[in-house]
Amino acid sequence: MTSEASEKLEQFFSSFTGNGRPLLLLDYDGTLAGFRVDRFTARPWAGVRELLQDIQRQGRTRMAVITGRPASEIPIMLRLAAPVEVWGLHGAERLYEDGRRELEEPSESAREKLDRVREQLRRNAFGGLFEDKANAAVMHWRGHSHRQALSIERKTRALFEPLAQMDGLSLLDFEAGIELRVGRDKGGAVEAIIEEAGRDKPLAYLGDDLTDEAAFRAVNQAEAAHMSVLVRHEWRETAAAVWLRPPDELRMFLKKWREAVGRTRA
Ligand SMILES: [Mg+2]
């Protein structure tokens, strides 16, 4: 981490004054856990679960995970002692701490178009991994050779692109995949949380993927103290203010968070 980055972090954490709970918003895959082709084996990096649990136990942070996965998968992967708020499907779905679940309802015509795409990909997924989500059809090509990946991507784009922009359907690019979807994106989820929590709360968002850029931009526009963090082994062009390498610098960030919140205890 550069000294400029650590200065930005110090400044951010010094804004925790104990007036209201700061917002800790986290992506899951690639951010709290390393990637696995079988996503059900992607456990958090060593020490991360314990740090999140400490922060939960302090009771002075509003924590939420914002993920591309169905929301219900996150509590199982994280295994925290207390329930956690999760925004799933890139923000289209919300799982409350009390177990309530909300899903944005797409229009009838958007649903019909998505259903047709699903059917087609279930029959023939172009050699990629088709994932059927409540609000989206997703194609993954992680783990394929470069040539195979290009072929899967080309065929999928040919299918998805004519449908995107119709009836609220949109394309979402992520690393090693593409999604045809309806509903809020991660930026929309961040905005909804800010709206609900109040605009004066310090907030941070940590993410690794292209889909996290919308969340970084939403955080960067916040009026309160804010910090957008790219968590990634290699740097890339990003809207995030700070780049941290997992898992060491991620653990460092969470420790600093715990300390900063602890300092404000009356
Ligand atoms: Mg991710």
Side-chain angles (χ1 to χ4, degrees):
M1 189 175 43
T2 63
S3 61
E4 191 199 343
S6 81
E7 226 165 87
K8 281 185 191 168
L9 288 183
E10 291 310 320
Q11 205 183 342
F12 171 66
F13 286 120
S14 70
S15 74
F16 289 21
T17 57
N19 294 329
R21 301 192 302 166
L23 311 177
L24 178 56
L25 311 179
L26 305 153
D27 169 52
Y28 185 77
D29 294 280
T31 302
L32 300 179
F35 275 111
R36 292 288 159 78
V37 170
D38 173 6
R39 72 175 193 265
F40 295 102
T41 63
R43 294 285 172 196
W45 278 299
V48 167
R49 180 176 160 270
E50 290 73 14
L51 283 163
L52 294 177
Q53 208 150 258
D54 284 355
I55 292 168
Q56 262 192 335
R57 223 177 273 135
Q58 289 175 311
R60 299 176 64 103
T61 294
R62 176 167 173 184
M63 193 192 296
V65 176
I66 306 178
T67 175
R69 296 193 193 216
S72 61
E73 291 182 13
I74 296 302
I76 298 164
M77 301 308 295
L78 267 180
R79 292 191 296 191
L80 298 174
V84 64
E85 176 181 347
V86 184
W87 294 66
L89 308 173
H90 298 289
E93 181 195 21
R94 181 174 184 185
L95 181 64
Y96 291 80
E97 287 179 3
D98 64 11
R100 265 178 309 141
R101 178 177 170 268
E102 281 169 8
L103 184 65
E104 265 187 297
E105 278 306 316
S107 70
E108 194 59 36
S109 61
R111 164 141 333 260
E112 274 169 23
K113 289 196 177 71
L114 257 184
D115 284 345
R116 240 174 291 145
V117 167
R118 287 181 216 281
E119 245 168 71
Q120 187 172 340
L121 290 177
R122 247 183 253 126
R123 285 197 306 268
N124 177 6
F126 311 135
L129 175 68
F130 165 54
E131 185 189 353
D132 204 350
K133 286 192 187 175
N135 73 322
V138 192
M139 183 65 79
H140 301 267
W141 49 81
R142 189 178 291 279
H144 283 278
S145 74
H146 183 63
R147 223 190 58 190
Q148 279 174 313
L150 278 180
S151 152
I152 298 163
E153 179 176 1
R154 191 169 37 78
K155 289 172 183 161
T156 308
R157 281 192 191 279
L159 176 64
F160 285 3
E161 273 170 1
L163 295 169
Q165 315 307 334
M166 295 167 70
D167 301 309
L169 285 163
S170 59
L171 274 188
L172 187 68
D173 283 288
F174 55 98
E175 288 182 43
I178 188 170
E179 174 168 325
L180 181 68
R181 68 192 304 271
V182 288
R184 233 181 341 242
D185 66 6
K186 287 188 171 192
V190 168
E191 279 161 16
I193 292 172
I194 294 174
E195 193 61 48
E196 200 179 276
R199 305 199 156 268
D200 56 336
K201 309 291 185 301
L203 78 157
Y205 182 91
L206 283 68
D208 69 296
D209 207 331
L210 298 172
T211 61
D212 296 305
E213 293 292 328
F216 295 149
R217 288 192 294 272
V219 166
N220 293 346
Q221 282 162 18
E223 293 157 32
H226 54 267
M227 183 50 60
S228 49
V229 183
L230 177 68
V231 179
R232 208 164 180 275
H233 293 291
E234 293 94 34
W235 188 84
R236 68 131 198 273
E237 200 59 48
T238 180
V242 161
W243 166 47
L244 299 180
R245 276 202 191 90
D248 284 358
E249 292 179 344
L250 168 70
R251 283 191 288 255
M252 181 268 315
F253 180 93
L254 294 174
K255 280 179 197 157
K256 280 183 185 295
W257 187 286
R258 184 180 60 185
E259 277 166 32
V261 168
R263 269 201 311 271
T264 66
R265 183 157 295 167

